[in-house]
Amino acid sequence: MKKALIVWGGWDGHQPEQVAAIFADMLRQEQFEVEVSDTLQAYADGEKLLGLDLIVPVWTMGEIEQELVNNVSAAVQNGTGLAGIHGGMCDAFRKNVDWQFMTGGQWVAHPGNDGVEYTVEIKPGSSPLVAGLEDFTVQSEQYYLHVDPAVEVLATTRFPVADGPHRTNKAVDMPVAWTKYWGAGRVYYNSLGHQANIVEMPQVKEMMRRGFLWAAEGKEQLASAVAAGNSSVYTGMGDSQ
């Protein structure tokens, strides 16, 4: 069985415990061995993280020790997948740029707050992860993010919808879901999921299911690369510390 670690906490408004439970059930249905933790010290054992297939952060607006970020980064670089949703991954640690570099983006605003009705537009042909999925409408927070230009965008939403100072700029298609790589590791992010009811939407659950499975295949890809003699892992992020 593949092994997954879900770590939840931070701001209660995102219902992290409920969301973590949804993800744990989803992964168990996919035959993962799942550990669920409500402390960031779950990242303290670097060797244990190296043995995982998937890490799922569900932690918003927190502060984290640099050593714990280094442990997660090293595990992902060595093939452990990283996948998450909404503020639980890309507004987890606003002060830690290493986390933001690894995950591919950082939340900066949600104009109109909760309850904005907007369309999630799937990018057909962008990846097998969105094959057969169709555009859908959601009523929730519409995330505006600062995004790594290296990501592969799987779905977008058009800004502006709600009023705000951003409206005087041209319309933009903001990424909603993306993939990227961090060393040998696969990273998946989806900006939907303000609360558990949004995570429970069939479209969102299917996107996350596919994202989890894709991210958890990094170890297999690393093994192939090692066998071919093509692997290299960067072990430090001291330039930003």
Side-chain angles (χ1 to χ4, degrees):
M1 296 177 70
K2 289 185 176 180
K3 296 180 180 180
L5 171 66
I6 300 172
V7 181
W8 68 268
W11 185 57
D12 287 338
H14 278 161
Q15 300 178 339
E17 184 173 10
Q18 295 95 315
V19 172
I22 294 169
F23 289 160
D25 181 64
M26 184 186 304
L27 287 167
R28 288 177 180 130
Q29 289 184 36
E30 296 294 336
Q31 306 305 308
F32 279 73
E33 177 184 327
V34 181
E35 177 184 349
V36 180
S37 176
D38 64 354
T39 172
L40 292 175
Q41 288 305 307
Y43 298 143
D45 187 341
E47 288 300 316
K48 179 179 178 180
L49 298 185
L50 287 168
L52 298 174
D53 297 285
L54 180 65
I55 296 172
V56 181
V58 189
W59 197 291
T60 307
M61 291 188 290
E63 295 191 12
I64 189 170
E65 299 171 27
Q66 185 62 43
E67 180 182 358
L68 302 182
V69 176
N70 292 347
N71 287 346
V72 176
S73 176
V76 177
Q77 289 178 59
N78 280 279
T80 299
L82 183 68
I85 203 165
H86 201 63
M89 185 160 123
C90 283
D91 192 23
F93 311 113
R94 294 181 184 178
K95 294 181 180 180
N96 195 286
V97 294
D98 290 344
W99 184 271
Q100 294 164 24
F101 193 9
M102 175 173 60
T103 58
Q106 170 61 35
W107 169 87
V108 293
H110 42 64
N113 298 313
D114 195 13
V116 175
E117 185 172 299
Y118 62 96
T119 300
V120 176
E121 299 182 19
I122 304 297
K123 290 193 68 176
S126 61
S127 166
L129 284 173
V130 294
L133 300 182
E134 297 182 352
D135 298 351
F136 61 97
T137 300
V138 64
Q139 192 169 5
S140 183
E141 291 179 340
Q142 186 186 30
Y143 259 24
Y144 202 103
L145 301 120
H146 287 171
V147 179
D148 183 345
V151 304
E152 180 177 1
V153 179
L154 310 180
T156 62
T157 182
R158 175 61 61 93
F159 276 85
V161 174
D163 287 335
H166 61 296
R167 290 190 68 93
T168 49
N169 297 299
K170 65 180 180 181
V172 296
D173 291 319
M174 178 60 56
V176 169
W178 65 69
T179 59
K180 66 171 289 186
Y181 291 89
W182 189 248
R186 296 179 169 196
V187 179
Y188 175 86
Y189 176 71
N190 190 318
S191 72
L192 299 166
H194 174 57
Q195 292 185 329
N197 65 316
I198 301 299
V199 180
E200 289 278 21
M201 291 178 62
Q203 301 95 326
V204 179
K205 289 186 77 172
E206 179 61 15
M207 292 174 77
M208 293 308 300
R209 186 190 70 83
R210 296 184 186 191
F212 287 151
L213 294 178
W214 176 84
E217 292 175 357
K219 286 286 180 65
E220 298 167 19
Q221 299 300 313
L222 177 61
S224 298
V226 170
N230 296 325
S231 67
S232 62
V233 174
Y234 179 65
T235 57
M237 292 295 294
D239 54 328
S240 63
Q241 299 165 21

